[in-house]
């Protein structure tokens, strides 16, 4: 334990040495001074008997005091300056009776708590080689009951400027960066949490970053009006307790230990801080409520160490180490703020620098938390991308399987359609051609069929067979080709019978795809209409019109026969007309037969 304390002491003294800078012969750092406790604004007389010696750095429990420091100066460099690590409550600086600066003190209009260091140019010609006298009026910061006089350092600017810059960076620049960075990161992470409410760790981290940024404003705002000061100090207590409580809840969630009652107790103690401030003021809250945060921080560090010991993952170990450092820094700051003699005994000279480490340790803790969440986010993205790749591969495999299944189904559907089409045609041939041949055979066997009837029967059977062949022979179900073959055969027959055929075809240039069975039915209707013209019309010409317009396929067969006498009823429809009507119905079309004084007209309309 002693070895660890010595190691920590050496590390802190190294930090102090870096802030104090190298020892330079021309730089003067007096360690002895004289003090008079007095609230007067003018310096006391040199022979005032109240002057008493003190050692710097010095803390006096009084609202204000005058300090007198004597020093010698090396006037080889006339541009000497005065460096004070802190001057919390402001005051006045006088060298050899010459005023140097007036640093604003707390008043009814403005509350003061300066955190920044002071670097002042000393008037040229005011210094002497020996026996210089530095008078400083040091006032207590607002809400502080003690005036604090830091150890002054005097010397050339080239030697003091690095000291000032390093301390300004540590106590001013870094807090400003923390405030801006914490607010920015916290808001962005909370926006992520708003969209992903189940990611509780992101919400806790965002809230912790914002709370710590608000708490760090204690090193940023030095002078505020009274009303703003009260709100700001209340915000300080709220953010300080809130940060510790949120960190405890974050550690519980990270370790996977759900303890609702513990969380409720932590939130309840957090709420006591603002209540203590409103009821008793900042001193009451600092005395009775702030010390209670130390056991919470200790329990938080112990919880993190226990989780690291049980899980031994890089994340839990990093969080435990960062929390241990933050807890040690918090205890250190409490000891420094109270000027603890225990710390002075362990680390002689360290408390004189008044360096607070918690805001730096908390930055380290937030950095570790942010890194763990970023790594968690990256792992989640990698897992999602891997899942997407796997899903994409599976989808592609399923698409290929579905495409193959569709192809097999399409082949089966085409085969089934072809089978159905063949069965329909076979059924049509059986019912038409087969029935006709069977009937003719029966009549021939009875001797009731003469040569002429036999010829007509055979010709009709041949026509039926040719129509079936024409309907099935065209490629790609091209009705133009099937009807062309029908036209070629019937044109010759009509001319042989003394008729003049007129063929009118208005079909699209592209393929007019009609199923073979449907094409067979259309050709049967056309054949029956032309057969009726040959047998009954006594016409000299016949016009066959086939056209495709407006999504309708129209077939018209017109002859110029004499038709029925005027006033006579149209001839009754025979079996041929009923067959045509039945075929049109099967095609979901309409058939219209009209008789006039200039011949008959058979009209077929089909949805194409």
């Amino acid at each position: 334990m002693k070895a660890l304390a010595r190691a920590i002491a050496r590390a802190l003294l190294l930090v102090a040495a870096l802030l104090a800078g190298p020892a330079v012969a021309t730089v003067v750092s007096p360690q002895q001074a004289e003090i008079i406790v007095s609230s007067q604004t003018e310096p006391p007389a040199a022979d005032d008997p109240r002057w008493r010696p003190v050692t710097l750095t010095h803390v006096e429990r009084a609202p204000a005091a005058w300090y007198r420091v004597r020093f010698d100066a090396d006037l080889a460099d006339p541009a000497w300056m005065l460096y004070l690590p802190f001057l919390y409550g402001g005051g006045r600086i006088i060298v050899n009776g010459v005023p140097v600066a007036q640093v604003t003190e707390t008043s009814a209009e403005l509350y003061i708590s300066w955190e920044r260091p002071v670097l002042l140019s000393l008037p040229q010609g005011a210094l002497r080689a020996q026996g210089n006298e530095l008078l400083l009026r040091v006032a207590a910061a607002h809400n502080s009951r003690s005036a604090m006089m830091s150890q002054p350092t005097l010397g050339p600017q080239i030697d003091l400027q690095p000291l000032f810059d390093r301390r300004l960076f540590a106590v001013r620049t870094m807090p400003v960066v923390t405030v801006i960075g914490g607010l920015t990161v916290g808001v962005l992470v909370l926006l992520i949490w708003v969209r992903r409410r189940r990611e509780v760790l992101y919400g806790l981290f965002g809230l912790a970053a914002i709370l710590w940024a608000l708490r760090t404003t204690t090193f940023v705002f030095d002078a505020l009006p009274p009303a703003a000061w009260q709100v700001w100090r209340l915000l300080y207590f709220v953010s300080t307790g809130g940060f510790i409580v949120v960190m405890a809840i974050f550690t519980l969630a990270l370790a996977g230990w759900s303890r609702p009652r513990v969380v409720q107790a932590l939130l309840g103690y957090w709420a006591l801080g603002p209540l203590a401030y409103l009821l008793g003021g900042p001193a009451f809250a600092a005395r009775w409520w702030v010390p209670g945060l130390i056991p919470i921080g200790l329990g938080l560090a112990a919880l993190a160490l226990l989780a690291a010991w049980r899980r031994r993952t890089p994340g839990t170990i990093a969080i435990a180490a960062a929390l241990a450092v933050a807890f040690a820094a918090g205890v250190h700051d409490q000891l420094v703020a109270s000027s603890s003699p225990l710390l002075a005994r362990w680390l002689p000279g360290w408390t004189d620098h008044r360096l607070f480490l918690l805001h730096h340790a908390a930055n380290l803790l937030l950095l570790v938390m942010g890194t763990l969440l970023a790594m968690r986010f990256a792992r989640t993205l990698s897992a999602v991308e891997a899942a997407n790749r796997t899903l994409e591969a599976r989808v592609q495999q399923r698409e290929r399987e579905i495409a193959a299944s569709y192809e097999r189904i399409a082949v089966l559907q085409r085969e089934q359609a072809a089978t159905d089409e063949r069965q329909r045609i076979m059924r049509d041939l059986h019912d038409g051609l087969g029935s006709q041949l069977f009937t003719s055979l029966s009549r021939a066997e009875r001797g009731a069929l003469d040569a002429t009837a036999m010829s007509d029967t055979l010709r009709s059977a041949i026509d039926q067979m040719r129509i079936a062949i024409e309907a099935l022979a065209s490629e790609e179900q091209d009705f133009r080709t099937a009807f062309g073959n029908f036209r070629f055969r019937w044109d010759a027959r009509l001319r042989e019978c003394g008729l003049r055929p007129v063929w009118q075809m208005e079909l699209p240039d592209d393929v007019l795809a009609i199923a073979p069975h449907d094409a067979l039915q259309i050709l049967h209707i056309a054949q029956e209409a032309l057969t009726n013209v040959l047998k009954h019309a006594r016409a000299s010409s016949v016009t066959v019109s086939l056209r495709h317009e407006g999504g309708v396929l129209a077939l018209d067969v017109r002859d110029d026969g004499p038709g029925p006498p005027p006033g006579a009823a149209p001839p009754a429809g025979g079996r041929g007309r009923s067959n045509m009507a039945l075929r049109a119905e099967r095609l979901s079309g309409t058939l219209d037969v009209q008789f006039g004084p200039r011949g008959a007209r058979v009209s077929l309309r089909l949805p194409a």
Side-chain angles (χ1 to χ4, degrees):
M1 190 67 180
K2 293 182 179 180
L4 178 61
R6 285 194 297 268
I8 295 174
R10 284 195 295 268
L12 294 177
L13 290 176
L14 177 60
V15 174
L18 290 175
L19 292 175
V24 182
T26 56
V27 171
V28 178
S29 297
Q31 297 182 356
Q32 300 298 320
E34 296 175 286
I35 182 176
I36 287 181
V37 177
S38 173
S39 298
Q40 65 185 35
T41 57
E42 294 299 323
D47 56 353
D48 194 312
R50 293 177 298 170
W51 288 110
R52 57 183 173 87
V54 293
T55 300
L56 302 177
T57 298
H58 181 259
V59 178
E60 185 69 27
R61 293 185 63 85
W66 280 92
Y67 287 86
R68 181 168 62 185
V69 180
R70 292 186 171 88
F71 65 97
D72 297 333
D74 184 357
L75 301 181
D77 187 345
W80 269 47
M81 305 189 77
L82 169 65
Y83 166 67
L84 295 173
F86 53 86
L87 189 63
Y88 293 134
R92 292 184 63 189
I93 298 97
I94 301 173
V95 173
N96 295 332
V98 179
V100 175
Q102 175 77 45
V103 182
T104 306
E105 301 178 18
T106 294
S107 63
E109 293 79 21
L110 197 65
Y111 290 172
I112 295 299
S113 180
W114 301 110
E115 292 290 342
R116 68 189 75 179
V118 177
L119 183 63
L120 301 172
S121 296
L122 300 180
Q124 293 187 6
L127 294 180
R128 300 185 292 267
Q130 294 180 341
N132 295 288
E133 184 179 80
L134 174 65
L135 289 177
L136 297 101
R137 170 182 161 81
V138 177
H142 184 72
N143 285 340
S144 175
R145 290 171 294 189
S146 300
M148 300 184 186
M149 174 61 188
S150 60
Q151 183 180 4
T153 303
L154 301 103
Q157 181 177 4
I158 192 174
D159 297 323
L160 300 185
Q161 189 69 49
L163 305 181
F164 173 81
D165 292 340
R166 283 194 290 268
R167 186 171 182 98
L168 183 67
F169 178 81
V171 303
R172 187 71 172 186
T173 304
M174 280 298 296
V176 171
V177 172
T178 299
V179 171
I180 298 175
L183 291 176
T184 303
V185 173
V187 170
L188 292 178
V189 175
L190 282 181
L191 289 177
I192 296 176
W193 173 76
V194 168
R195 300 299 299 271
R196 301 283 299 175
R197 292 294 183 90
R198 291 189 299 177
E199 298 292 341
V200 179
L201 292 179
Y202 288 92
L204 293 174
F205 173 75
L207 182 59
I210 292 176
L211 288 172
W212 189 250
L214 296 176
R215 191 264 185 192
T216 309
T217 57
T218 188
F219 296 97
V220 176
F221 298 131
D222 298 319
L224 288 173
W229 179 280
Q230 299 301 330
V231 175
W232 174 59
R233 294 306 294 174
L234 175 61
L235 182 64
Y236 169 80
F237 284 101
V238 171
S239 57
T240 300
F243 175 76
I244 297 175
V245 168
V246 170
M247 284 305 308
I249 299 174
F250 179 91
T251 306
L252 286 171
L254 184 66
W257 295 333
S258 178
R259 299 292 187 272
R261 292 186 177 180
V262 174
V263 172
Q264 294 173 1
L266 291 173
L267 294 176
Y269 191 80
W270 180 13
L272 288 178
L275 183 62
Y277 180 89
L278 294 175
L279 294 178
F284 180 80
R287 182 177 180 181
W288 297 104
W289 179 74
V290 171
L293 297 175
I294 296 178
I296 296 178
L298 181 60
L300 174 60
L303 179 63
L305 290 173
L306 180 59
W309 175 259
R310 288 185 176 181
R311 298 193 175 188
R312 299 181 184 179
T313 62
T316 56
I317 293 174
I319 283 290
L323 281 172
V325 171
F327 175 75
V331 174
H332 163 272
D333 288 1
Q334 189 70 17
L335 295 177
V336 170
S338 61
S339 299
S340 170
L342 180 64
L343 185 62
R345 185 168 65 253
W346 282 358
L347 301 173
W350 171 253
T351 56
D352 295 343
H353 297 280
R354 301 287 296 182
L355 288 173
F356 298 99
L357 304 179
L358 180 58
H359 57 285
H360 300 297
N363 289 344
L364 174 63
L365 177 59
L366 290 174
L367 180 62
V368 171
M369 292 171 57
T371 301
L372 292 178
L373 291 181
M375 294 175 62
R376 177 191 179 110
F377 185 73
R379 287 195 301 269
T380 302
L381 285 182
S382 299
V384 170
E385 290 175 354
N388 287 337
R389 287 193 297 267
T390 303
L391 180 60
E392 184 177 355
R394 291 181 178 177
V395 169
Q396 291 177 353
Q397 179 65 24
R398 292 293 183 268
E399 287 178 349
R400 289 192 293 269
E401 294 175 357
I402 292 173
S405 299
Y406 275 127
E407 184 63 27
R408 290 193 297 270
I409 292 172
V411 171
L412 293 175
Q413 286 178 340
R414 289 195 294 269
E415 293 176 353
Q416 184 63 37
T419 301
D420 294 342
E421 196 67 24
R422 284 194 298 270
Q423 290 178 352
R424 284 196 298 267
I425 293 174
M426 289 172 62
R427 186 166 53 250
D428 192 72
L429 289 175
H430 176 271
D431 296 340
L433 179 60
S435 177
Q436 183 179 5
L437 291 175
F438 181 77
T439 302
S440 300
L441 177 61
S442 298
R443 293 177 62 192
E445 289 176 346
R446 294 196 309 269
L449 194 65
D450 56 15
T452 302
M454 180 65 73
S455 298
D456 292 340
T457 299
L458 293 176
R459 183 177 291 107
S460 177
I462 292 172
D463 288 343
Q464 293 282 352
M465 181 184 66
R466 285 180 173 174
I467 287 177
I469 293 173
E470 289 164 356
L472 294 173
S474 62
E475 297 181 358
E476 299 181 357
Q477 301 179 354
D478 185 4
F479 184 68
R480 290 167 55 94
T481 302
F483 192 81
N485 295 331
F486 176 84
R487 169 185 172 178
F488 176 77
R489 179 167 51 82
W490 270 92
D491 187 84
R493 179 178 294 185
L494 291 172
R495 292 183 187 278
E496 288 176 359
C497 296
L499 289 172
R500 182 173 58 82
V502 178
W503 302 89
Q504 300 175 350
M505 293 182 62
E506 299 178 7
L507 297 178
D509 294 335
D510 54 347
V511 175
L512 182 60
I514 297 179
H517 181 265
D518 295 343
L520 181 61
Q521 303 302 320
I522 297 172
L523 295 180
H524 271 310
I525 293 172
Q527 175 176 282
E528 187 66 34
L530 292 176
T531 301
N532 289 336
V533 172
L534 288 178
K535 289 183 177 181
H536 309 295
R538 296 173 296 163
S540 59
S541 66
V542 61
T543 301
V544 180
S545 173
L546 182 64
R547 61 188 182 276
H548 179 267
E549 54 184 16
V552 175
L553 182 65
L555 173 65
D556 292 315
V557 179
R558 301 188 304 273
D559 63 76
D560 60 353
R575 185 175 180 181
R577 195 188 304 176
S578 63
N579 286 339
M580 287 192 293
L582 181 59
R583 295 181 189 277
E585 183 179 352
R586 290 176 181 174
L587 296 173
S588 301
T590 59
L591 182 73
D592 184 25
V593 181
Q594 297 180 356
F595 296 93
R598 302 192 54 160
R601 176 178 178 179
V602 178
S603 298
L604 174 66
R605 298 292 184 270
L606 300 174

